Amino acid sequence: MSVSALGAGLSGMLGYQRALDVSAHNVANTLTTGFRARQPDFSEGTPPGSGVRVAPSASSSDGTQIETEMVGQLIYKAGFQASAKVVSTADQMLGALIDIKA
């Protein structure tokens, strides 16, 4: 089964949004005693947005490392923007195809 560009872009956007949510949760709980940070685990998934699972941090220490979260957030933001560009480009291509057919 082929994956449409719209579906791939949507899945990417939802996955990166979920990763940003996890990172924001980690940052918000930085000072919570006993808090163990979580990390997004990107993997292939069939339904849109199911490509990110949340797992406990592989780090042996409890808490959140702010510098790691900030770098992660920049990566997730760039991934979200790239996925949004895929959706935008697919939309333009479909529009051009409809114009040609009309």
Side-chain angles (χ1 to χ4, degrees):
M1 175 195 275
S2 66
V3 177
S4 73
L6 284 173
L10 174 62
S11 180
M13 289 173 68
L14 292 173
Y16 284 112
Q17 178 61 51
R18 177 74 173 124
L20 280 167
D21 292 344
V22 170
S23 183
H25 176 75
N26 289 343
V27 171
N29 286 289
T30 299
L31 300 177
T32 302
T33 305
F35 176 74
R36 186 165 175 105
R38 298 176 182 166
Q39 65 183 26
D41 177 25
F42 289 87
S43 61
E44 290 187 31
T46 305
S50 66
V52 176
R53 290 178 286 167
V54 179
S57 177
S59 172
S60 60
S61 64
D62 289 340
T64 301
Q65 296 177 354
I66 296 295
E67 61 279 358
T68 302
E69 296 299 331
M70 298 282 78
V71 170
Q73 287 179 6
L74 291 172
I75 292 168
Y76 306 146
K77 177 185 172 190
F80 184 92
Q81 290 172 330
S83 295
K85 188 67 173 172
V86 169
V87 170
S88 175
T89 301
D91 180 53
Q92 291 173 0
M93 289 172 51
L94 286 172
L97 180 61
I98 290 170
D99 289 344
I100 290 170
K101 287 291 204 178

